[in-house]
Amino acid sequence: SNGKSVYMQLKQDANGNDLDPTQAANWDTPHPITRSDGSALATAANGSVGMSLDMTYFQDEQGRSYYAWQQLGATYIATMDPSDPSHITSTPVRIVAPEYAWNVTIAEGPNVTTRDGKLYLMYSGSSVGKTYTTGLAVADASGNTDLTDPSSWSNLNYPIQKSGIFNGSWQL
C-alpha cells in the first residue's frame, strides 16, 4: 500500500498535563490525514492514490495553521484547523518541485523554521547517498501573504547542503 501522512496525539492526565512522551502507551493510535471530503491527500491525474509522507505542521505570525508534506515527489502545502488535525481545509498546492540538476529526483521531507519574519522551508533534494542535497524555499511569515500561492515562496536554485568529499572522505 502507498504511504500516507498520519498524526498521533500525546494523551493527557485528568488535569490536562501531558503524559510521558517516552512511553508508547501514552500516545493514541495514528490517524490518517485526508482532504476535507475524506479523500486521500495525494491523487494522481488518473485518480489513483499516490504517496504522501514527511508531513510537518507550522503557523504564520497571525496564527494560521498549515501542513506541508511530500506528495508525488514534490512538496505541497494546505491550510488546516488545529481543532481537527485529521483534515486539511484547502486544496493541496505544490510549492516546491524537483526542477534543478541537484534536486531532479525529489523534493521531500519539508521542515519549517520561522525567524526574523520569514518562513524557511528546508527539504531533501535527492536520494540518500552521494547525491544527497538539501534545498530551501523562503516565504513571508507575517500572515499578509497567501502561503498556498506558490508565488509566495522563493526557492533557491542551489542546494544549501550537499554530499561531497571533506578531508579526503565522503560526507553524506
Side-chain angles (χ1 to χ4, degrees):
S1 165
N2 287 321
K4 60 184 169 191
S5 295
V6 299
Y7 79 95
M8 294 173 62
Q9 288 186 310
L10 183 62
K11 296 175 185 175
Q12 297 179 330
D13 65 20
N15 296 322
N17 298 311
D18 289 342
L19 297 178
D20 181 355
T22 65
Q23 301 296 314
N26 291 342
W27 290 90
D28 69 2
T29 58
H31 302 278
I33 298 170
T34 64
R35 294 175 187 236
S36 58
D37 65 2
S39 63
L41 285 179
T43 53
N46 66 6
S48 65
V49 175
M51 187 177 290
S52 62
L53 295 173
D54 303 331
M55 184 171 275
T56 191
Y57 167 83
F58 66 97
Q59 292 182 317
D60 66 19
E61 290 177 349
Q62 290 188 18
R64 280 190 285 275
S65 297
Y66 298 88
Y67 281 141
W69 68 96
Q70 184 273 127
Q71 171 178 311
L72 308 172
T75 298
Y76 281 70
I77 189 173
T79 57
M80 62 83 64
D81 179 353
S83 68
D84 180 13
S86 64
H87 297 94
I88 59 172
T89 56
S90 66
T91 301
V93 176
R94 186 177 69 181
I95 56 172
V96 179
E99 60 184 318
Y100 303 109
W102 59 268
N103 79 341
V104 73
T105 306
I106 201 161
E108 67 179 356
N111 186 349
V112 178
T113 300
T114 305
R115 183 180 168 116
D116 298 330
K118 299 283 185 193
L119 294 164
Y120 296 92
L121 185 146
M122 294 157 278
Y123 62 92
S124 171
S126 66
S127 301
V128 175
K130 291 182 178 182
T131 63
Y132 188 80
T133 59
T134 303
L136 179 68
V138 182
D140 176 27
S142 70
N144 297 324
T145 308
D146 178 5
L147 297 176
T148 63
D149 178 351
S151 68
S152 296
W153 295 87
S154 59
N155 191 20
L156 295 181
N157 62 1
Y158 56 89
I160 59 171
Q161 175 273 324
K162 65 180 181 175
S163 296
I165 295 176
F166 180 77
N167 286 341
S169 298
W170 270 98
Q171 304 297 309
L172 306 176

